[in-house]
């Protein structure tokens, strides 16, 4: 027991302490007395209206230097508006309406927030109510708006081994849970975590709890998962004590079990989802290739990176490839509420422009060799080969003038797959088979056609094959590839085709959201639209060192693009798989190899179109292409020595041009021309190595 002297000293110290801030109710009174909205105060404090609300509710306290600034403001208001004085009329918020869920980071200039749909178009979905077990004061629940009160603390939190949960925008909460079931209950009832749906017909994002290694051990989990299988397939055994705890508490795990990304849930009651996503950092939940350096950050840093990604892209659901695929569905939900004419009841109906709820089999040439539609039909008619470029010009096709140029300069196309997804018409239904159809560039599908008669400049790769070689006979091509052959002035006469009658720009909202995330994150790193070419090149030399956290977010966004497209044709995994069997990915509507082929076909033809135009304007021809990297022989070390400009110094349209937008280029690397020629002689691709290391052609599969 402590001595009387120790207790008195402790009490005296408590008496001497001054409160850091006024009580929560007084914070609200002072702001309202000053006639300032939460949105306006958020701008002054360089935070979000969501966090200002948390400060005023007492669920979160600001940290330095924001604490001192907030205290100074409140003290100033207290002097001007003492308790009991009449308060002026409060101006209604204009920047952040209370009916919207407000991002935890300030909304970038130009970002549009979609208003809720009119009630007549879809059934109003009940808002999930705060569970009865909530320990928040009743007065606090009454003050919060119906939307914001669901997720006042952002989409996710990172839990350390001492019970501290780090959220977005410097938020720190205490988490008293000591078991996984208790953690799930706390997350759903007290944490205030989650994110609003991205489409009015979609679903709110489940809260994400990220466990550090110390937190994992605290909850009875092994610090590392060990085994001889692939890391991503490792799971806790069914008899592990934590798995038993989850079952005994009447929670469930998905079929994937308790792995690096675990989902713990109960069946939804009405419109109230009960599901929490867990990510275990020490189990390699965050792939270093997509999230460089993030796993080694402190919890607050991890929360900043993942929180920014969640606000700009989506709450992570697994790998960046999985998140990219989930984002497509979140932005194009398969169903919507419709009213039955006969009964007047609201029922689930198809959401136009989506892929629906049922998977569809591809046409045989669009499938993979192990697919049941190929094996069961004995298909031998060939397959689509729409892949990204992997081409290097043979040494004997290099001219003497090119070999005497001193440098090889690499140009990197920004998020090339994302640029190709823009305004891309794809099929939304199962294919129909046609014989000898007339080619129509507006109909997405696969065409059997002979393009071997098309002869192009030997200094350029063929636009019809990934390796750049000329076709040797009839082959299957996606619509964009055949349309490009006709654009070049050649006749095309398909022998047969698999075409889709229902079409749409399915990927448009996916493209728009990821493009905004990419551009906004580059702006955080000092690379903005208003930079001229020289300033852009200078910014690109140092942007990754400007802010490692935002650089990691940028890396994750790029991985989301490539991985999401790759997931559209996910191949079977595991040593137990047998050719001809269905694998789990085939059971989702987003297993669509034809959409993947359409994106890559458009990307490859876009690249060919630009190298042709650049050659016309500069006389320079590429010596190698690897996916989104194009290598040119150059008189100087800068991309400015390759790219075409007019007399006024403006970039010429149609060719490659510097810039941060998807489809524009930035520097990839520079080496000597003799170095590049030496690699080609050895059968290697200079585009893979020009950055100083091995570039990875990531199809996300």
């Amino acid at each position: 027991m402590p001595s009387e002297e120790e207790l008195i000293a402790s009490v005296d110290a408590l008496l001497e302490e001054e409160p850091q801030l006024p009580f929560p109710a007084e914070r609200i009174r002072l702001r309202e007395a000053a006639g300032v909205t939460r949105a306006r105060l958020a701008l002054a404090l360089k935070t979000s209206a969501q966090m200002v609300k948390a400060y005023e509710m007492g669920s979160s306290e600001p940290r330095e230097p924001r604490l001192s600034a907030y205290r100074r403001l409140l003290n100033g208001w207290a002097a001007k508006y003492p308790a009991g004085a009449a308060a002026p009329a409060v101006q209604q918020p204009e920047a952040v309406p209370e009916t919207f869920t407000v991002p935890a980071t300030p909304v970038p200039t130009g970002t549009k927030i979609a208003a809720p749909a009119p009630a007549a178009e879809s059934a109003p979905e009940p808002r999930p109510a705060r569970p009865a077990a909530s320990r928040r004061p009743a007065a606090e629940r009454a003050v919060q708006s119906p939307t914001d009160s669901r997720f006042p603390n952002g989409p996710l939190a990172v839990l350390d081994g001492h019970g501290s949960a780090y959220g977005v925008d410097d938020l720190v909460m205490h988490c008293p849970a000591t078991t996984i079931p208790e953690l799930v209950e706390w997350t759903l009832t007290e944490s205030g975590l989650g994110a609003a749906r991205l489409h009015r017909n979609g679903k709110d994002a489940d809260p994400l709890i990220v466990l550090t290694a110390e937190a994992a051990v605290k909850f009875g989990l092994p610090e590392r998962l060990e085994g001889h299988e692939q890391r991503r397939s490792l799971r806790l055994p069914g008899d592990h004590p934590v798995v038993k705890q989850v079952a005994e508490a009447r929670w469930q795990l998905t079929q994937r079990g308790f792995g690096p990304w675990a989902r713990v849930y109960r069946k939804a009651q009405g419109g109230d989802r009960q599901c929490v996503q867990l990510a275990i950092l020490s189990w390699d939940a965050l792939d270093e290739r997509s999230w460089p350096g993030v796993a080694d950050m402190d919890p607050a840093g991890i929360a900043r990176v993942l929180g920014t990604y969640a606000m700009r892209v989506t709450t992570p659901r697994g790998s960046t490839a999985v998140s990219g695929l989930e984002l497509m569905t979140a932005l194009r939900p398969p169903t919507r509420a419709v009213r039955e004419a006969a009964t007047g009841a609201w029922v689930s109906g198809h959401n136009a422009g989506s892929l629906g709820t049922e998977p569809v089999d591809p046409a045989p040439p669009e499938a993979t060799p192990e697919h049941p539609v190929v094996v069961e039909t004995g298909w031998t008619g060939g397959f689509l080969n729409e892949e990204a470029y992997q081409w290097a010009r043979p040494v004997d096709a290099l001219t003497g003038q090119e070999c005497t140029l001193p440098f090889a300069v690499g140009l990197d196309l920004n998020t090339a797959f994302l640029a190709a997804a823009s305004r891309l018409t794809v099929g939304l239904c199962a294919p129909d088979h046609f014989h000898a159809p007339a080619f129509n560039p507006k109909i997405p599908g696969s065409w059997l056609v002979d393009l071997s008669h098309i002869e192009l400049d030997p200094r350029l790769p063929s636009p019809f094959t990934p390796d750049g070689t000329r076709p040797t006979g009839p082959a299957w091509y996606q619509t964009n590839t055949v349309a490009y052959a006709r654009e070049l002035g050649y006749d095309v006469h398909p022998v047969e085709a698999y075409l889709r009658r229902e079409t749409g720009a399915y990927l448009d909202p996916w493209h728009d959201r990821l493009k905004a995330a990419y551009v906004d994150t580059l702006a955080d790193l000092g690379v903005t639209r208003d930079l001229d070419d020289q300033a852009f090149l200078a910014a690109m030399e140092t942007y990754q060192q400007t802010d490692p956290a935002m650089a990691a977010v940028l890396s994750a966004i790029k991985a989301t693009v490539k991985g999401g497209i790759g997931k559209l044709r996910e191949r079977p995994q595991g040593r137990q798989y047998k050719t001809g069997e269905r694998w789990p990915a085939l059971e989702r509507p987003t297993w669509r190899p034809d959409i993947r082929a359409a994106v890559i076909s458009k990307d490859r033809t876009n690249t060919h179109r630009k190298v042709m135009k650049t050659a016309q304007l500069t006389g320079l021809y590429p010596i190698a292409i690897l996916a989104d990297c194009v290598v040119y022989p150059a008189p100087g070390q800068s991309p400015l020595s390759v790219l075409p400009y007019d007399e006024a110094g403006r970039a010429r349209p149609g060719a490659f041009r510097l810039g941060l937008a998807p489809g524009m280029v930035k520097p990839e690397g520079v080496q000597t021309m003799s170095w590049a020629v030496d690699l080609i002689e050895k059968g290697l691709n200079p585009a893979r190595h020009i950055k100083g290391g091995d570039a990875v052609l990531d199809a996300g599969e």
Side-chain angles (χ1 to χ4, degrees), residues 605-674:
T605 54
N606 280 349
T607 300
H608 192 273
R609 188 180 292 110
K610 289 180 179 179
V611 297
M612 280 190 64
K613 188 65 174 180
T614 301
Q616 292 172 9
L617 296 172
T618 66
L620 295 175
Y621 291 80
I623 60 172
I625 305 177
L626 179 76
D628 51 10
C629 177
V630 183
V631 178
Y632 277 95
Q637 299 187 57
S638 170
L640 298 177
S641 66
V642 174
L643 302 176
Y645 293 84
D646 61 18
E647 294 77 5
R650 295 185 296 264
R652 301 288 292 271
F656 292 118
R657 54 186 299 184
L658 288 175
L660 56 83
M664 301 178 79
V665 300
K666 58 182 180 291
E668 175 73 1
V670 59
Q671 301 287 345
T672 64
M673 186 62 182
S674 59

Side-chain angles (χ1 to χ4, degrees), residues 150 205 267 305 316 374 395 405 444 518 546 553:
R150 298 180 301 160
K267 290 186 178 180
V305 172
V374 173
V395 172
L405 290 173
Y518 180 77
T546 301
V553 174

Side-chain angles (χ1 to χ4, degrees), residues 28-36 80-91:
I28 298 174
R29 185 194 73 79
L30 290 172
R31 178 180 56 76
E32 292 179 345
V36 175
K80 293 178 64 176
Y81 310 107
V90 179
Q91 182 182 359

Side-chain angles (χ1 to χ4, degrees), residues 483-506:
Y484 187 58
R486 203 165 77 167
E487 178 185 325
L488 293 173
Y490 295 91
D491 290 333
V492 292
H493 302 284
V495 177
E496 58 180 307
Y498 287 89
L499 308 176
R500 288 167 171 81
R501 301 179 187 273
E502 184 183 350
T503 66
Y506 173 71

Side-chain angles (χ1 to χ4, degrees), residues 17-367:
E17 287 184 3
E18 294 184 1
Q20 293 286 301
L21 294 169
F23 289 113
E26 178 67 1
R27 303 174 200 177
I28 298 174
R29 185 194 73 79
L30 290 172
R31 178 180 56 76
E32 292 179 345
V36 175
T37 66
R38 284 196 179 110
R40 178 68 184 86
L41 178 53
L43 290 174
L45 293 177
K46 300 286 192 294
T47 185
S48 67
Q50 178 179 334
M51 287 308 303
V52 169
K53 175 172 283 189
Y55 299 159
E56 293 184 345
M57 295 299 106
S59 61
S60 176
E61 296 291 321
R63 296 195 298 177
E64 294 293 358
R66 191 172 284 122
L67 174 61
S68 295
Y70 190 33
R71 184 170 58 237
R72 177 185 177 87
L73 179 64
L74 293 176
N75 288 341
W77 281 343
K80 293 178 64 176
Y81 310 107
V90 179
Q91 182 182 359
Q92 292 301 313
E94 71 287 348
V96 186
E98 291 289 349
T99 53
F100 297 152
T101 296
V102 184
T105 52
V107 178
T109 302
T111 300
K112 296 181 180 179
I113 304 178
E121 292 187 11
S122 60
E125 185 168 326
R127 303 278 189 189
R130 177 70 62 184
S134 173
R135 300 177 191 173
R136 293 181 180 271
E140 176 185 330
R141 296 198 297 272
V143 171
Q144 294 176 327
S145 67
T147 300
D148 285 352
S149 64
R150 298 180 301 160
F151 316 119
N153 294 327
L156 55 86
V158 180
L159 197 60
D160 68 11
H162 308 288
S164 293
Y166 295 79
V168 298
D169 212 357
D170 299 332
L171 172 69
V172 182
M173 298 179 287
H174 174 64
C175 175
T178 58
T179 67
I180 292 297
E182 289 177 0
L183 175 61
V184 172
E185 294 279 2
W186 174 84
T187 302
L188 292 174
T189 61
E190 298 184 49
S191 71
L193 296 174
R197 69 199 69 185
L198 298 179
H199 187 283
R200 67 173 182 264
N201 296 319
K203 300 176 182 177
D204 296 328
D206 298 318
L208 169 63
I209 298 294
V210 181
L211 301 181
T212 62
E214 295 81 2
V217 172
K218 173 184 174 180
F219 285 101
L221 300 169
E223 183 173 346
R224 299 285 300 176
L225 272 182
E226 302 297 340
H228 300 292
E229 301 178 56
Q230 296 182 14
R231 295 293 308 167
R232 61 184 176 184
S233 64
L234 290 177
R235 301 289 181 268
L236 285 181
D239 59 354
H240 191 278
V242 171
V243 176
K244 290 182 177 179
Q245 285 177 358
V246 171
E248 290 169 358
R250 298 186 178 180
W251 290 98
Q252 294 178 264
L253 296 168
T254 62
Q255 292 183 353
R256 295 185 65 83
F258 206 119
W261 290 88
R263 298 183 68 78
V264 184
Y265 73 98
R266 286 180 181 144
K267 290 186 178 180
Q269 303 295 323
D272 189 5
R273 287 174 60 82
Q274 299 184 79
C275 183
V276 175
Q277 177 89 52
L278 302 176
I280 320 299
L281 290 178
S282 59
W283 295 3
D284 299 331
L286 299 181
D287 191 319
E288 176 68 17
R289 294 168 298 179
S290 301
W291 304 94
V294 177
D296 297 326
M297 294 180 180
D298 61 22
I302 297 170
R304 181 181 174 222
V305 172
L306 296 182
T308 302
Y309 177 90
M311 292 298 184
R312 294 181 179 177
V313 181
T314 186
T315 303
R317 291 281 302 272
S319 67
T320 49
V322 169
S323 296
L325 196 69
E326 293 289 340
L327 180 62
M328 294 180 195
T329 303
L331 294 168
R332 292 280 197 188
T335 61
R336 66 184 182 94
V338 296
R339 191 186 293 274
E340 277 189 333
T343 65
W346 289 100
V347 297
S348 179
H350 174 65
N351 187 30
S354 75
L355 298 181
T357 59
E358 297 298 325
V360 296
D361 279 338
E366 298 167 348

Side-chain angles (χ1 to χ4, degrees), residues 324-688:
L325 196 69
E326 293 289 340
L327 180 62
M328 294 180 195
T329 303
L331 294 168
R332 292 280 197 188
T335 61
R336 66 184 182 94
V338 296
R339 191 186 293 274
E340 277 189 333
T343 65
W346 289 100
V347 297
S348 179
H350 174 65
N351 187 30
S354 75
L355 298 181
T357 59
E358 297 298 325
V360 296
D361 279 338
E366 298 167 348
T368 56
E370 66 271 14
H371 194 285
V373 77
V374 173
V375 176
E376 292 172 6
T377 62
W379 174 260
T380 58
F383 298 94
L384 279 175
N385 189 25
E386 299 287 11
E387 300 295 339
Y389 267 132
Q390 294 192 69
W391 168 83
R393 196 167 1 139
V395 172
D396 57 10
L398 298 175
T399 67
Q401 183 181 6
E402 288 175 327
C403 292
T404 60
L405 290 173
F407 299 106
V409 172
L411 304 178
D412 177 45
L413 279 78
N414 300 326
T415 55
F417 285 177
L418 188 62
S422 177
R423 314 302 176 252
L424 174 66
T425 300
V426 299
L428 302 178
C429 60
D432 291 325
H433 192 198
F434 297 86
H435 292 280
F439 177 68
N440 187 333
K442 296 182 179 180
I443 301 178
S446 303
W447 309 77
L448 180 62
V449 60
D450 191 349
L451 302 179
S452 62
H453 62 287
I454 299 178
E455 184 173 0
L456 300 173
D457 193 307
R459 292 171 292 182
L460 293 176
S462 168
F464 311 124
T465 60
D467 63 4
T469 59
R470 184 174 172 178
T472 57
W476 289 96
Y477 301 98
Q478 202 276 333
T479 297
N480 289 289
T481 304
V482 184
Y484 187 58
R486 203 165 77 167
E487 178 185 325
L488 293 173
Y490 295 91
D491 290 333
V492 292
H493 302 284
V495 177
E496 58 180 307
Y498 287 89
L499 308 176
R500 288 167 171 81
R501 301 179 187 273
E502 184 183 350
T503 66
Y506 173 71
L507 293 173
D508 265 9
W510 185 81
H511 162 272
D512 294 347
R513 185 168 179 85
L514 284 168
K515 177 183 176 181
Y518 180 77
V519 172
D520 291 343
T521 306
L522 272 175
D524 289 341
L525 293 166
V527 185
T528 56
R529 293 180 183 273
D530 58 348
L531 299 178
D532 61 27
D533 285 354
Q534 292 286 1
F536 174 76
L537 291 173
M540 291 307 299
E541 289 181 359
T542 59
Y543 80 96
Q544 290 184 319
Q545 289 75 47
T546 301
D547 186 340
M550 289 301 100
V553 174
L554 188 71
S555 173
I557 292 170
K558 292 190 289 185
T560 301
V561 172
K562 283 190 175 181
I565 296 300
K567 273 283 185 180
L568 291 168
R569 197 191 67 168
E570 183 177 2
R571 304 293 285 271
Q573 302 167 11
R575 291 174 293 181
Q576 307 303 318
Y577 176 77
K578 296 180 181 179
T579 298
E581 294 179 345
R582 296 188 69 84
W583 59 94
L586 301 186
E587 306 310 316
R588 50 176 169 79
T590 49
W591 196 86
R592 291 296 301 272
D594 57 298
I595 297 180
R596 174 185 180 274
V599 172
I600 298 177
S601 168
K602 185 179 175 184
D603 167 53
R604 199 180 63 248
T605 54
N606 280 349
T607 300
H608 192 273
R609 188 180 292 110
K610 289 180 179 179
V611 297
M612 280 190 64
K613 188 65 174 180
T614 301
Q616 292 172 9
L617 296 172
T618 66
L620 295 175
Y621 291 80
I623 60 172
I625 305 177
L626 179 76
D628 51 10
C629 177
V630 183
V631 178
Y632 277 95
Q637 299 187 57
S638 170
L640 298 177
S641 66
V642 174
L643 302 176
Y645 293 84
D646 61 18
E647 294 77 5
R650 295 185 296 264
R652 301 288 292 271
F656 292 118
R657 54 186 299 184
L658 288 175
L660 56 83
M664 301 178 79
V665 300
K666 58 182 180 291
E668 175 73 1
V670 59
Q671 301 287 345
T672 64
M673 186 62 182
S674 59
W675 167 91
V677 173
D678 183 57
L679 285 186
I680 294 174
E681 288 178 336
K682 295 177 180 177
L684 302 175
N685 190 326
R688 183 180 295 278

